[in-house]
Amino acid sequence: MTPTAPDAPTAPTPAPLLTLKQGTSWTDAWRQCLTAAPEAFRDDRVLNLWNATWHADGRTLPATTPVDGSPITGPPRLDAATARQAVRAALDQHRAWRHVPLPERRARIAAALDALAAHRRLLALLLVWEIGKPWRLARADVDRAVDGVRWYLDGIEPMLADRAPLDGPVSNIASWNYPMSVLVHAMLVQALAGNAVIAKAPTDGGVACLTLACALAAREGVPLTLVSGSGGELSEALVRAPEIGCVSFVGGRDTGAAVATAVADLGKRHILEQEGLNTWGIWAYSDWETLSAQVPALFDYGKQRCTAYPRFVVQRSLFDAFLAAYLPAVRSVRLGHPLAVEHPEDAFPELDYGPLISAAKAKELRDQVTEAIDRGAIPLHRGSRTEARFLPGQDTSAYVHPVTLLNPPPSSPLHHAEPFGPVDTVVLVDTEAELLAAMNASNGALVATLSTDDPATFARLAPHVRAFKVGHGRPRSRGDRDELFGGFGASWRGAFVGGDLLIRAVTRGAPGERLPGNFPEYQLMP
């Protein structure tokens, strides 16, 4: 009998060529903007909104989308003198708006929310192109803004009891990563509380989305000002101007420290949310199946959020079990072009993240990883292009594949600072004291998590973690609606927010009132 020849090895199935989902190009989105809000958009630029009028002022900067490096419309940068005029005009709006009865304010904000909901798809599509959010997360950013403000509409009366608007408008300077659920949400709640509102569009992305959102709200008579420009050039007007009643800032510690110094010198009301190294501790733990299921979600939006967890602090004796749970999970993270599909009519792809905010940020992070490894960090995982979904020939310079490093050296920024990208670091510890020291490496954080089997151990250790929220075996987030939010140490300065605390932060109460918050002269928990 002739022996049967062994089967030839099967060649791997080539990945299908991808194409752009139908009707989702930047040109499609821009054409819809011109139709939806012709007062706020021109063929080649967005306008600035001040003194209740849209202005074609400011020099428009060239910009590219992080999605594929192609050109998109950039922000129109105002000069300091024009910004000063905008602030004075906002004070006039504030003096009129503060006397508008609450039922009318509620009706106007409700109408604005209806308009935002009607344009939900376009707002989300703009977020995809401008800041690289996958469709699921972009849509959630819009929905959280609308739903969150509706919660305030339903319960605003008792929150405003015995309170009055501030003496001047609220000035908002926010990062680019959550234009809707953080910035637009805050602006509309501030206006509901009786304040005119100013916002600076983030330089790195989101100006078209914000412009459309502000146009829809301004049509309903909500007193909003939206300007673009250099933070350094506009800070005199947006932070130091005597007309400003409160400064609300979301961003990094370096810029936040400068803002904090200015508002402290002037005695100005402030809400300054800054970064911190959020950590996840593993101590006397055994529920690895749960941890493994949580890891992919921790990479949402490439960890470009203030409540991301980039650091695991692991008991050394559990390191092998941790790796067995962690590595398969991190290998399942889905990365790629947020609009790339096999067929034009397919549903949006399900991704954990797309590009970082820019090719420059991606290069900076890659360089930090290389430097950390050169100085002794041990690479535990590095993703590859074959695991990602891209269009044929597209620019991928803003994409960073997941990386995990063991023991980054103290000389590396990855040792002590938030990377704001898909890089995890792991630090091994042997004692509870070492665990706490490693979890408190950044002098304050917004969130932290401790995974331990024993509730008594969690209850004993958690109060020593310098984070505003500490989860027991589960991640914590910024929160919505009535959930409070703040930070300890250098991660937060000024009034805490969330629920009725956001209203209290942007209104005046009884003389001598001490707001819950983290202030130079006191720290008061709610």
Side-chain angles (χ1 to χ4, degrees), residues 349-378:
E350 286 292 331
L351 301 173
D352 295 301
Y353 71 96
L356 300 194
I357 187 58
S358 67
K361 172 60 182 177
K363 181 182 184 303
E364 174 190 296
L365 195 55
R366 290 192 206 99
D367 289 347
Q368 288 180 356
V369 169
T370 299
E371 181 183 54
I373 293 172
D374 288 345
R375 295 182 179 182
I378 299 170

CSV table of all heavy atoms in Angstrom, one decimal, residues 349-378:
chain,number,residue,atom,x,y,z
A,349,PRO,N,-16.6,49.4,12.5
A,349,PRO,CA,-15.8,48.3,13.1
A,349,PRO,C,-15.8,48.5,14.6
A,349,PRO,O,-15.8,49.6,15.2
A,349,PRO,CB,-14.4,48.6,12.5
A,349,PRO,CG,-14.3,50.0,12.1
A,349,PRO,CD,-15.7,50.3,11.7
A,350,GLU,N,-15.7,47.3,15.3
A,350,GLU,CA,-15.6,47.3,16.7
A,350,GLU,C,-14.1,47.3,17.1
A,350,GLU,O,-13.4,46.4,17.0
A,350,GLU,CB,-16.3,46.0,17.3
A,350,GLU,CG,-17.8,46.1,17.3
A,350,GLU,CD,-18.4,47.1,18.2
A,350,GLU,OE1,-17.7,47.4,19.3
A,350,GLU,OE2,-19.4,47.6,17.9
A,351,LEU,N,-13.7,48.5,17.6
A,351,LEU,CA,-12.3,48.7,18.0
A,351,LEU,C,-12.2,49.2,19.4
A,351,LEU,O,-13.1,49.8,19.9
A,351,LEU,CB,-11.6,49.7,17.1
A,351,LEU,CG,-11.6,49.4,15.6
A,351,LEU,CD1,-11.1,50.6,14.8
A,351,LEU,CD2,-10.8,48.2,15.3
A,352,ASP,N,-11.0,48.9,20.1
A,352,ASP,CA,-10.8,49.5,21.4
A,352,ASP,C,-10.2,50.8,21.2
A,352,ASP,O,-10.4,51.7,22.0
A,352,ASP,CB,-9.8,48.5,22.2
A,352,ASP,CG,-10.5,47.2,22.5
A,352,ASP,OD1,-11.5,47.2,23.2
A,352,ASP,OD2,-10.0,46.2,22.1
A,353,TYR,N,-9.3,51.0,20.2
A,353,TYR,CA,-8.8,52.4,20.0
A,353,TYR,C,-8.3,52.5,18.6
A,353,TYR,O,-8.1,51.5,17.9
A,353,TYR,CB,-7.7,52.8,21.0
A,353,TYR,CG,-6.4,52.1,20.9
A,353,TYR,CD1,-5.3,52.6,20.3
A,353,TYR,CD2,-6.2,50.9,21.6
A,353,TYR,CE1,-4.1,52.0,20.3
A,353,TYR,CE2,-5.0,50.2,21.6
A,353,TYR,CZ,-3.9,50.8,20.9
A,353,TYR,OH,-2.7,50.2,20.9
A,354,GLY,N,-8.1,53.7,18.1
A,354,GLY,CA,-7.5,54.0,16.8
A,354,GLY,C,-6.2,54.7,17.0
A,354,GLY,O,-5.3,54.3,17.7
A,355,PRO,N,-6.0,55.9,16.4
A,355,PRO,CA,-4.7,56.6,16.5
A,355,PRO,C,-4.6,57.3,17.8
A,355,PRO,O,-5.6,57.6,18.5
A,355,PRO,CB,-4.8,57.5,15.3
A,355,PRO,CG,-6.2,57.9,15.1
A,355,PRO,CD,-6.9,56.6,15.4
A,356,LEU,N,-3.4,57.7,18.1
A,356,LEU,CA,-3.2,58.7,19.2
A,356,LEU,C,-3.6,60.1,18.6
A,356,LEU,O,-3.9,60.2,17.4
A,356,LEU,CB,-1.8,58.7,19.7
A,356,LEU,CG,-1.3,57.4,20.3
A,356,LEU,CD1,0.0,57.6,21.1
A,356,LEU,CD2,-2.4,56.8,21.2
A,357,ILE,N,-3.5,61.1,19.3
A,357,ILE,CA,-4.0,62.4,18.9
A,357,ILE,C,-3.2,63.0,17.7
A,357,ILE,O,-3.7,63.8,16.9
A,357,ILE,CB,-4.1,63.4,20.1
A,357,ILE,CG1,-4.8,64.7,19.6
A,357,ILE,CG2,-2.7,63.7,20.6
A,357,ILE,CD1,-6.2,64.6,19.1
A,358,SER,N,-1.9,62.6,17.6
A,358,SER,CA,-1.1,63.1,16.6
A,358,SER,C,0.1,62.2,16.3
A,358,SER,O,0.5,61.4,17.2
A,358,SER,CB,-0.6,64.5,16.9
A,358,SER,OG,0.3,64.5,18.0
A,359,ALA,N,0.7,62.3,15.1
A,359,ALA,CA,1.9,61.6,14.8
A,359,ALA,C,3.0,62.0,15.8
A,359,ALA,O,3.9,61.1,16.2
A,359,ALA,CB,2.3,61.8,13.4
A,360,ALA,N,3.1,63.3,16.2
A,360,ALA,CA,4.1,63.7,17.1
A,360,ALA,C,4.0,63.1,18.4
A,360,ALA,O,5.0,62.7,19.0
A,360,ALA,CB,4.0,65.3,17.2
A,361,LYS,N,2.8,63.0,18.9
A,361,LYS,CA,2.6,62.3,20.2
A,361,LYS,C,3.0,60.8,20.1
A,361,LYS,O,3.6,60.2,21.1
A,361,LYS,CB,1.1,62.4,20.7
A,361,LYS,CG,0.8,61.6,21.9
A,361,LYS,CD,1.6,62.0,23.1
A,361,LYS,CE,1.3,61.1,24.3
A,361,LYS,NZ,2.1,61.4,25.5
A,362,ALA,N,2.6,60.2,19.0
A,362,ALA,CA,3.0,58.8,18.8
A,362,ALA,C,4.5,58.6,18.8
A,362,ALA,O,5.0,57.6,19.4
A,362,ALA,CB,2.3,58.2,17.6
A,363,LYS,N,5.2,59.4,18.1
A,363,LYS,CA,6.6,59.3,18.1
A,363,LYS,C,7.2,59.6,19.5
A,363,LYS,O,8.2,58.9,19.9
A,363,LYS,CB,7.2,60.4,17.1
A,363,LYS,CG,8.7,60.3,17.0
A,363,LYS,CD,9.3,61.3,16.1
A,363,LYS,CE,10.8,61.2,15.9
A,363,LYS,NZ,11.5,61.2,17.2
A,364,GLU,N,6.7,60.6,20.2
A,364,GLU,CA,7.2,60.8,21.5
A,364,GLU,C,7.1,59.6,22.4
A,364,GLU,O,8.0,59.2,23.2
A,364,GLU,CB,6.5,62.0,22.1
A,364,GLU,CG,6.8,62.3,23.6
A,364,GLU,CD,5.8,63.3,24.2
A,364,GLU,OE1,5.8,64.5,23.7
A,364,GLU,OE2,5.0,63.0,25.1
A,365,LEU,N,5.9,58.9,22.3
A,365,LEU,CA,5.7,57.8,23.2
A,365,LEU,C,6.6,56.6,22.7
A,365,LEU,O,7.1,55.9,23.6
A,365,LEU,CB,4.2,57.4,23.1
A,365,LEU,CG,3.7,56.4,24.2
A,365,LEU,CD1,4.0,56.9,25.6
A,365,LEU,CD2,2.2,56.2,24.0
A,366,ARG,N,6.7,56.4,21.4
A,366,ARG,CA,7.6,55.3,21.0
A,366,ARG,C,9.1,55.6,21.5
A,366,ARG,O,9.8,54.6,21.9
A,366,ARG,CB,7.6,55.2,19.5
A,366,ARG,CG,6.3,54.7,18.9
A,366,ARG,CD,6.5,54.4,17.4
A,366,ARG,NE,5.2,54.5,16.7
A,366,ARG,CZ,4.8,55.5,16.0
A,366,ARG,NH1,5.6,56.6,15.9
A,366,ARG,NH2,3.6,55.5,15.4
A,367,ASP,N,9.5,56.8,21.4
A,367,ASP,CA,10.8,57.2,21.8
A,367,ASP,C,11.0,56.9,23.3
A,367,ASP,O,12.1,56.4,23.8
A,367,ASP,CB,11.1,58.6,21.5
A,367,ASP,CG,11.3,58.9,20.0
A,367,ASP,OD1,11.5,57.9,19.3
A,367,ASP,OD2,11.3,60.1,19.6
A,368,GLN,N,10.0,57.2,24.1
A,368,GLN,CA,10.0,57.0,25.6
A,368,GLN,C,10.1,55.5,25.9
A,368,GLN,O,10.9,55.0,26.7
A,368,GLN,CB,8.8,57.5,26.3
A,368,GLN,CG,8.8,59.0,26.3
A,368,GLN,CD,7.5,59.6,27.0
A,368,GLN,OE1,6.6,58.8,27.4
A,368,GLN,NE2,7.5,60.9,27.2
A,369,VAL,N,9.4,54.7,25.1
A,369,VAL,CA,9.5,53.2,25.3
A,369,VAL,C,10.9,52.7,24.9
A,369,VAL,O,11.5,51.9,25.7
A,369,VAL,CB,8.4,52.5,24.4
A,369,VAL,CG1,8.7,51.0,24.3
A,369,VAL,CG2,7.0,52.8,24.9
A,370,THR,N,11.4,53.2,23.8
A,370,THR,CA,12.8,52.7,23.4
A,370,THR,C,13.8,53.1,24.4
A,370,THR,O,14.7,52.3,24.8
A,370,THR,CB,13.1,53.4,22.0
A,370,THR,OG1,12.2,52.9,21.0
A,370,THR,CG2,14.5,53.0,21.6
A,371,GLU,N,13.7,54.4,24.9
A,371,GLU,CA,14.7,54.8,25.9
A,371,GLU,C,14.5,54.0,27.2
A,371,GLU,O,15.5,53.7,27.8
A,371,GLU,CB,14.4,56.3,26.2
A,371,GLU,CG,15.4,56.9,27.2
A,371,GLU,CD,15.0,58.4,27.5
A,371,GLU,OE1,13.9,58.6,27.9
A,371,GLU,OE2,15.9,59.2,27.4
A,372,ALA,N,13.3,53.7,27.6
A,372,ALA,CA,13.1,52.9,28.9
A,372,ALA,C,13.7,51.6,28.7
A,372,ALA,O,14.4,51.1,29.7
A,372,ALA,CB,11.6,52.8,29.2
A,373,ILE,N,13.6,50.9,27.6
A,373,ILE,CA,14.1,49.6,27.4
A,373,ILE,C,15.7,49.7,27.4
A,373,ILE,O,16.4,48.9,27.9
A,373,ILE,CB,13.6,49.0,26.1
A,373,ILE,CG1,12.1,48.7,26.2
A,373,ILE,CG2,14.3,47.7,25.7
A,373,ILE,CD1,11.4,48.2,25.0
A,374,ASP,N,16.2,50.7,26.7
A,374,ASP,CA,17.7,50.9,26.7
A,374,ASP,C,18.2,51.1,28.1
A,374,ASP,O,19.4,50.7,28.3
A,374,ASP,CB,18.0,52.1,25.8
A,374,ASP,CG,17.8,51.9,24.3
A,374,ASP,OD1,17.7,50.7,23.9
A,374,ASP,OD2,17.8,52.9,23.6
A,375,ARG,N,17.4,51.6,29.0
A,375,ARG,CA,17.9,51.9,30.3
A,375,ARG,C,17.5,50.7,31.3
A,375,ARG,O,17.7,50.9,32.5
A,375,ARG,CB,17.4,53.2,30.8
A,375,ARG,CG,17.9,54.4,30.0
A,375,ARG,CD,17.4,55.7,30.6
A,375,ARG,NE,18.0,56.8,29.8
A,375,ARG,CZ,17.7,58.1,30.1
A,375,ARG,NH1,16.9,58.4,31.1
A,375,ARG,NH2,18.3,59.1,29.4
A,376,GLY,N,17.0,49.6,30.8
A,376,GLY,CA,16.8,48.5,31.7
A,376,GLY,C,15.4,48.0,31.8
A,376,GLY,O,15.2,46.9,32.4
A,377,ALA,N,14.3,48.7,31.3
A,377,ALA,CA,13.0,48.1,31.4
A,377,ALA,C,12.9,46.8,30.5
A,377,ALA,O,13.6,46.7,29.5
A,377,ALA,CB,12.0,49.1,30.9
A,378,ILE,N,12.1,45.9,31.0
A,378,ILE,CA,11.9,44.6,30.3
A,378,ILE,C,10.6,44.6,29.5
A,378,ILE,O,9.5,44.7,30.1
A,378,ILE,CB,12.0,43.5,31.3
A,378,ILE,CG1,13.3,43.5,32.1
A,378,ILE,CG2,11.8,42.1,30.6
A,378,ILE,CD1,13.3,42.5,33.3
